[in-house]
Amino acid sequence: QASTKQKHKSYRASKKVPAMRNRVYTQLARAQKLGDEGDKAAGFAVLKEVEGQLDNLNGYEQAMLYNFYGFMYYANDDIENAITSFTKVISDESAIPDTLLISTRYSLAQLSMQKQDYTTALTHLKAWQEINDKPLTAGQEMLFAQIYYQDKRYVDSLMHIENAISAAAKDNIEPKENWLVLKRATHYELDQPKQVTKVMEQLVRLYSKPQYWLQLAGMYGEIGDEEKQVAVM
């Protein structure tokens, strides 16, 4: 993987992308302004005008056109068309800057996750990781964890949850409640009752809720620690 990343890095260092002309940028910015002001129909109409000149646009301008389409469709809760548009953004990786390639890959992973298309989400996320030189944030680790969990790859999911918790701990941040809920579910699927119990202890300590106390009591009963079970009840 390091070798592959090095190749990507070498390629990206030598990549030259075409410039966006001012008139094209002005039209795209106008479409965004109309959309932001609530006139989505007018915003889409402007993008349609630009798309009508597609043959006169360079690769970067075409990518940015579809990038604007993607965000406007997403703002309109149209996930399907947002995915179609963002996919067009990266159809020619050599024509767009790395920042746009990286952010679009990640957006496609998130949108595929929303559609519950976990296989495609994982494909995009792995492609994103290949070109992303920065260490994964806790949130990014958890996106991997969620996708692997849905794909029933529980060991991989657990590894990314642990990475997320470690990354947060470096900043003195406690794990989020939904991270621990996923960790509990992963240990449960792996048939690890003692580890499930430990996660329940964390949930009780950090996010004290009646159902967590009841579940913790049930886990103490399952692992044969009746004294703690009674105490917790």
Side-chain angles (χ1 to χ4, degrees), residues 39-158:
D39 196 345
K40 294 177 182 177
F44 277 116
V46 173
L47 292 182
K48 204 74 177 171
E49 285 178 26
V50 179
E51 194 173 16
Q53 311 158 27
L54 201 62
D55 291 342
N56 297 321
L57 302 180
N58 64 42
Y60 180 40
E61 290 167 342
Q62 290 182 25
M64 285 304 292
L65 165 65
Y66 291 117
N67 190 50
F68 275 77
Y69 261 124
F71 279 108
M72 287 188 66
Y73 279 127
Y74 181 72
N76 216 29
D77 294 325
D78 189 343
I79 302 300
E80 195 67 51
N81 275 317
I83 288 174
T84 300
S85 298
F86 284 131
T87 301
K88 289 179 181 178
V89 172
I90 60 172
S91 61
D92 181 4
E93 294 186 8
S94 65
I96 60 177
D98 295 339
T99 50
L100 181 58
L101 177 59
I102 291 169
S103 63
T104 304
R105 279 285 186 193
Y106 197 74
S107 294
L108 281 166
Q110 292 175 306
L111 290 171
S112 298
M113 183 79 175
Q114 285 187 41
K115 276 190 65 190
Q116 299 183 339
D117 184 353
Y118 304 114
T119 301
T120 303
L122 188 57
T123 298
H124 283 303
L125 206 53
K126 284 185 172 179
W128 166 83
Q129 192 176 24
E130 287 292 337
I131 55 177
N132 176 48
D133 293 329
K134 299 176 183 176
L136 298 186
T137 65
Q140 290 163 352
E141 293 279 9
M142 285 306 301
L143 185 58
F144 268 108
Q146 289 161 5
I147 292 172
Y148 278 128
Y149 180 84
Q150 295 296 341
D151 202 34
K152 302 188 188 311
R153 293 171 60 177
Y154 302 119
V155 173
D156 290 321
S157 177
L158 188 58

Side-chain angles (χ1 to χ4, degrees), residues 171-187:
D171 296 323
N172 294 316
I173 297 172
E174 297 284 6
K176 292 183 179 180
E177 184 176 0
N178 63 318
W179 299 3
L180 295 176
V181 169
L182 185 62
K183 190 171 191 286
R184 176 190 62 187
T186 306
H187 282 304

